[in-house]
Amino acid sequence: MNNSVERKMEAANAFAVKGQVKSCEPYGSGHINHTFRLLCEENGQEYAYILQQMNQEVFKDIEGLMKNVKGVTSFLRRQIIENQGDPDRETLNLVPTKSGKDYYQDSQGYFWRAYLFISQATCYNLVEKPEDFYQSGKAFGRFQCLLADFPADELTETIPNFHNTPSRFRDFERAVEADVMGRASQVQEEIRFIREREKEMGLALSLQSQGKLPLRVSHNDTKLNNIMIDDATGQALCIIDLDTIMPGFSIFDYGDSIRFGANTAEEDEQDLSKVSLSLPLFEIYTKGFWEGCEGRLTETEMEMLPYGAKMMTLECGMRFLADYLAGDVYFHVSRDGHNLDRCRTQLALVADMERKWEEMGQIVKKYAAIHPQCQ
Ligand code: ADP
Ligand code: GN1
Ligand code: MG
């Protein structure tokens, strides 16, 4: 057995699962943690769990992160029970270790956690049915609404400056300057595209400092594959990947969903002719998010939704390119040039948003006019 297999089995056996561990295989398509599907068996009955080795390079304060996850999932669980929902499927549920802790540190110092596996539900990498995207908009909107009552001062900021776009731009420029892999010369066009948009990057922070854009407890990583859709009902069932819940902007939660889900191509598509912003998907998500938020967005937040979509796409493209230049050290990659392909889809999508800017604004205005605003 190699070292990583041994560590995985050590971790699998550390949690208070039902029965004996049968298998533990890599699972899902997340870019950050190492995720496994853990299958156990007791009296001929199978029990499934998600086992995750958390990314300690990305998350420096695992204790704070796990406190957030525990706090938010317990909070959501109470709300789901009050609403007569199914608390084992509508939120993540941590499985404790055999000694009653929320996470496990293995003998080599790596951190692990386990969740109940949510079965008969799917995470999509591309919208297959527009209805799914509408449902996810509604669920992310509602999620933000529910978290409005969560005590923000109890949250650890798991990644400081996570969606601080000017700070991301400075990181990007440092990666260009260092050019440790000698790759910058091949990506001059992409570098230029990003630099040309530098002036737009500080707008959200500047509106916040003028008191026009509120900080809210937000998810911060609202892509479609971070939500589980119930296979039987087609409804959004559970929002997952809670590692980045921190105070942030609603327009960025909305925008990150558009970035991923309203793209007609997958995030790592190599044929850029397939990349575009689908206005019907943009509209249906806007409707869902709006309804989910129950009009709890300010006028400025509403106006800034298209900007949120563009900024999240540009920021993500910049992060992928910075990682490509740095030698693919942050996002998991599975082929040469993977981060560059991802960067290119994002920049192509930004360009298409710019072409469709007017229409995006019209769609948002339509919903802003229908829904009541409080605040
Ligand atoms: P990452 O931060 O690496 O994206 P995620 O927490 O999003 O990690 O998990 C990766 C994938 O694992 C998800 O996209 C989803 O497919 C699957 N997954 C995570 N948690 C569960 C769960 N409780 N039940 C079923 N599948 C899950
Ligand atoms: C990462 O963890 P995952 O795969 O859901 C990243 C997001 C990016 C996304 C791009 C903690 O999300 O910020 O938008 O990849 N998460 C972190 O697909 O950096
Ligand atoms: Mg994820």
Side-chain angles (χ1 to χ4, degrees):
M1 263 202 305
N2 72 31
N3 178 276
S4 68
V5 175
E6 270 172 29
R7 287 197 297 102
K8 179 179 79 177
M9 294 321 286
E10 177 193 335
N13 283 297
F15 288 91
V17 293
K18 282 196 183 162
Q20 295 296 313
V21 170
K22 286 281 151 206
S23 64
C24 188
E25 297 303 325
Y27 192 78
S29 52
H31 298 339
I32 301 296
N33 296 301
H34 286 291
T35 304
F36 303 88
R37 183 170 194 246
L38 174 65
L39 282 180
C40 303
E41 195 183 290
E42 187 176 63
N43 303 326
Q45 177 98 20
E46 216 170 58
Y47 297 93
Y49 303 89
I50 282 285
L51 179 71
Q52 274 183 330
Q53 184 194 322
M54 289 173 267
N55 189 326
Q56 285 158 256
E57 294 297 317
V58 168
F59 300 107
K60 308 287 183 203
D61 176 6
I62 296 284
E63 194 183 334
L65 178 149
M66 288 306 293
K67 197 165 154 264
N68 286 1
V69 172
K70 181 71 180 176
V72 169
T73 53
S74 312
F75 178 87
L76 293 172
R77 202 176 159 84
R78 282 194 297 277
Q79 309 235 7
I80 293 163
I81 292 170
E82 264 171 37
N83 295 327
Q84 271 104 45
D86 180 348
D88 288 346
R89 278 168 62 72
E90 292 174 30
T91 177
L92 286 173
N93 283 275
L94 284 167
V95 177
T97 66
K98 287 176 177 160
S99 60
K101 288 190 62 179
D102 291 327
Y103 60 95
Y104 177 71
Q105 186 171 23
D106 72 27
S107 48
Q108 289 177 43
Y110 294 95
F111 290 98
W112 299 79
R113 68 183 163 210
Y115 291 120
L116 295 182
F117 188 91
I118 300 169
S119 52
Q120 275 122 47
T122 307
C123 290
Y124 293 97
N125 283 321
L126 197 64
V127 172
E128 290 180 7
K129 293 202 278 338
E131 173 66 16
D132 289 346
F133 199 41
Y134 165 72
Q135 289 294 336
S136 80
K138 230 171 137 171
F140 276 122
R142 199 168 42 231
F143 190 76
Q144 187 149 103
C145 210
L146 279 179
L147 291 180
D149 298 327
F150 188 87
D153 51 351
E154 285 178 17
L155 283 174
T156 297
E157 199 181 4
T158 52
I159 304 180
N161 292 320
F162 191 58
H163 285 317
N164 179 331
T165 316
S167 152
R168 293 288 188 181
F169 180 73
R170 289 192 290 276
D171 294 345
F172 161 76
E173 285 290 6
R174 273 193 288 274
V176 175
E177 173 72 34
D179 192 20
V180 291
M181 308 297 289
R183 292 173 169 174
S185 60
Q186 316 150 22
V187 293
Q188 287 302 308
E189 204 182 313
E190 288 77 9
I191 294 173
R192 184 187 46 77
F193 184 97
I194 292 168
R195 285 182 176 156
E196 278 171 4
R197 287 154 183 80
E198 184 196 350
K199 281 204 186 68
E200 299 169 49
M201 295 179 190
L203 184 55
L205 288 171
S206 131
L207 287 171
Q208 185 207 357
S209 66
Q210 295 164 45
K212 293 187 185 160
L213 200 60
L215 263 188
R216 300 187 184 276
V217 176
S218 45
H219 182 281
N220 293 304
D221 189 3
T222 54
K223 61 181 178 176
L224 189 67
N225 70 16
N226 284 333
I227 189 162
M228 305 204 65
I229 307 278
D230 193 315
D231 294 340
T233 65
Q235 305 249 323
L237 180 68
C238 180
I239 287 171
I240 62 170
D241 205 342
L242 306 176
D243 297 333
T244 49
I245 289 187
M246 295 177 271
F249 298 128
S250 60
I251 60 167
F252 287 168
D253 267 8
Y254 164 90
D256 200 38
S257 290
I258 297 293
R259 170 190 81 74
F260 194 88
N263 185 354
T264 49
E266 291 203 35
E267 192 184 58
D268 59 357
E269 175 60 58
Q270 289 174 292
D271 177 356
L272 292 181
S273 70
K274 293 186 180 161
V275 174
S276 69
L277 176 81
S278 158
L279 285 170
L281 289 178
F282 178 83
E283 171 150 10
I284 210 162
Y285 188 91
T286 305
K287 180 173 189 288
F289 192 76
W290 228 234
E291 291 175 5
C293 285
E294 295 172 2
R296 286 204 206 183
L297 294 180
T298 65
E299 211 170 305
T300 307
E301 284 179 297
M302 293 190 298
E303 259 171 41
M304 295 294 291
L305 290 177
Y307 172 83
K310 180 174 168 185
M311 248 344 87
M312 284 299 90
T313 313
L314 183 62
E315 183 188 282
C316 204
M318 189 161 73
R319 292 173 63 198
F320 286 142
L321 188 54
D323 198 35
Y324 175 71
L325 293 171
D328 308 306
V329 291
Y330 185 94
F331 297 105
H332 296 325
V333 287
S334 46
R335 59 174 186 253
D336 284 349
H338 206 165
N339 272 319
L340 179 57
D341 293 338
R342 289 172 177 149
C343 157
R344 288 182 168 148
T345 63
Q346 301 307 289
L347 302 190
L349 188 60
V350 168
D352 199 44
M353 287 180 182
E354 289 174 348
R355 284 188 287 271
K356 294 174 176 160
W357 200 244
E358 285 279 304
E359 289 100 315
M360 290 164 75
Q362 292 304 328
I363 290 168
V364 166
K365 264 201 195 123
K366 184 167 122 192
Y367 290 93
I370 300 170
H371 284 262
Q373 297 155 29
C374 49
Q375 298 176 50

